[in-house]
Each structure stands twice: as structure tokens, then as C-alpha cells.
Amino acid sequence: MSNVKERLQQFLKSERISASEFSRQMGLSPAYLASMRKSMPEEKIERLIQIYPQLNRDWLLYGEGEMYRDLGRKDVDPYKLHRHMVPLIPLAAHAGKFEDYVTGVSADECQKIYSPFSGVDLSIRVHGNSMEPKIHDGVYLFVKRINDKAFIPWGTPLVLDTENGSMVKILYPSEKSDEYLEARSYNKDYPPFLVPKESIYGIYRIIAMMDQSVSF
């Protein structure tokens, strides 16, 4: 009979996830999978199921049922689940267009994480406390680009991709000029400031947030 490690390796092979990619997503050392014994500690099992919600926990732990939760039918192609694998943008270090980052690196270099939400383009991790108390440092945001020429949802938190870096802010029309947008923070220690429209590469709507306790 197979053990947890062997079933996990079977799942990763089915998902076409390399050992190095698995380690990055789980926040583990690159050698963890190779050195892993027959099973994993409970806290790592919980993290694993959070990252891969399509994985059947009972199958992983006990070999019962199908590999995929509610997706065990023969007419279901598990590879279609990769439509929910989205690039994780290193927000703290990122400078330049999101699109340039995604297309400028190879598939192996561009870390990706599983998004349990449809309609997501990218994911980023928040750094800093300017959006406290509603958006915390370390939270993962799953975002989708909007057509800012047609409509901007004023007064809601958005992700701005600008020539000066990326930021999470609440946008309002500027009273100064139509050429600017006013960016505000939830944290009152951070004053509002103006962002030139010409410096904005893209504006992204936040589809969902996941707490920093979920490690990728």
C-alpha cells in the first residue's frame, strides 16, 4: 500500500508541479520533499489542503476515494485545473509592468500559486501597514485588471501598477486636474497623494484576499 509521501508525489505529477515549485508554494526548503518520510506533520497537511483545495484529504491521508475532491469522474481532465494557476508578483521588489514581469521570465522562474477563485489574472502579497486595519501586511491579494478607461470603482481598494512601483490604494477623482487620481490609505498616518494618470500601467480589482497564515 502507498503512503502519504507517495500519494503526494502522485498528485504533484498529475498536477505537473515540480518539487521545487511545490517547495516554494509551501514555504519549505527545496530538499523537503526528497527528505520527507512517509507522512507530514498536521500543520503542513492543513497548509497543503489550503493551497490545493482540489486535493481529496481522505485520499491523501488514507488512500480512500479519488485523488480529486468532487473531480474523480473519468470525464474530468485534472489538467484543466491549471486555469487557476496564476503568477505571484513579487510586489516588494517589482518595478515595471506586471505584464512585463509575467512575460519576461520563463515558466520555471515565474512562481505561480493556485487560486481557488475564477477570473483572476495575478496574485500579489501586501507589504506594509498603509492599508491597516482592513488589509494587513502579508495578505495575498488575487486581482483582475479592469478597463480603467471605461470605469473605475471609486472609494474601493485597488492595486495600481505604476512606473514608480506597485501599490494598494483607494482611488478618488482628483480635484486638481483630470490628469491625476487621488490615492488614499486606510491608515490615517499615510496622507493622500496624487498619481499622474500617464504613470499608471494598469489598475486591478481585488477579487479576494487570503491571510498570511497561508504560506505558498
Side-chain angles (χ1 to χ4, degrees):
M1 295 180 63
S2 62
N3 55 43
V4 171
K5 177 179 180 178
E6 291 169 340
R7 287 191 289 273
L8 174 59
Q9 291 173 323
Q10 182 181 345
F11 169 75
L12 295 177
K13 182 179 180 180
S14 176
E15 288 283 288
R16 298 177 181 175
I17 298 173
S18 66
S20 60
E21 183 178 353
F22 168 76
S23 298
R24 286 196 302 268
Q25 293 174 350
M26 286 285 291
L28 301 170
S29 68
Y32 180 85
L33 186 60
S35 61
M36 177 181 163
R37 297 188 177 183
K38 293 183 178 181
S39 189
M40 304 172 71
E42 180 63 27
E43 64 272 14
K44 287 185 172 58
I45 294 291
E46 293 300 324
R47 185 183 304 171
L48 182 69
I49 297 303
Q50 286 179 313
I51 296 174
Y52 307 113
Q54 75 274 36
L55 175 59
N56 183 341
R57 180 191 179 97
D58 289 341
W59 176 85
L60 176 67
L61 294 181
Y62 314 114
E64 298 177 355
E66 303 289 345
M67 178 190 299
Y68 289 97
R69 187 173 63 187
D70 297 327
L71 294 175
R73 305 186 313 275
K74 292 182 179 180
D75 58 332
V76 174
D77 181 4
Y79 298 129
K80 290 181 179 179
L81 293 171
H82 282 274
R83 68 183 183 273
H84 294 308
M85 295 296 291
V86 296
L88 174 61
I89 304 295
L91 183 61
H94 175 74
K97 295 182 181 179
F98 285 170
E99 289 85 353
D100 289 345
Y101 171 79
V102 174
T103 59
V105 297
S106 68
D108 291 336
E109 294 172 323
C110 183
Q111 181 179 355
K112 295 184 179 181
I113 64 174
Y114 180 85
S115 169
F117 313 99
S118 60
V120 171
D121 293 334
L122 306 164
S123 58
I124 62 172
R125 188 177 184 183
V126 175
H127 292 269
N129 65 350
S130 68
M131 297 301 284
E132 296 280 1
K134 295 188 177 182
I135 302 178
H136 306 294
D137 176 56
V139 163
Y140 290 88
L141 304 180
F142 294 86
V143 304
K144 180 177 180 60
R145 184 166 184 167
I146 65 172
N147 180 3
D148 55 281
K149 304 299 182 183
F151 173 73
I152 296 177
W154 307 114
T156 62
L158 301 164
V159 175
L160 277 69
D161 183 20
T162 79
E163 63 183 18
N164 294 316
S166 310
M167 64 189 81
V168 184
K169 296 297 173 189
I170 310 164
L171 290 184
Y172 289 92
S174 169
E175 296 181 357
K176 176 181 178 180
S177 168
D178 290 339
E179 300 302 315
Y180 292 85
L181 297 178
E182 182 175 308
R184 302 181 190 177
S185 304
Y186 284 128
N187 189 335
K188 300 304 180 183
D189 292 337
Y190 293 81
F193 59 91
L194 297 180
V195 181
K197 288 184 178 179
E198 64 180 11
S199 73
I200 299 175
Y201 297 136
I203 299 177
Y204 292 75
R205 178 169 60 92
I206 299 173
I207 302 295
M209 296 186 288
M210 294 186 73
D211 188 78
Q212 62 181 344
S213 62
V214 179
S215 177
F216 299 96

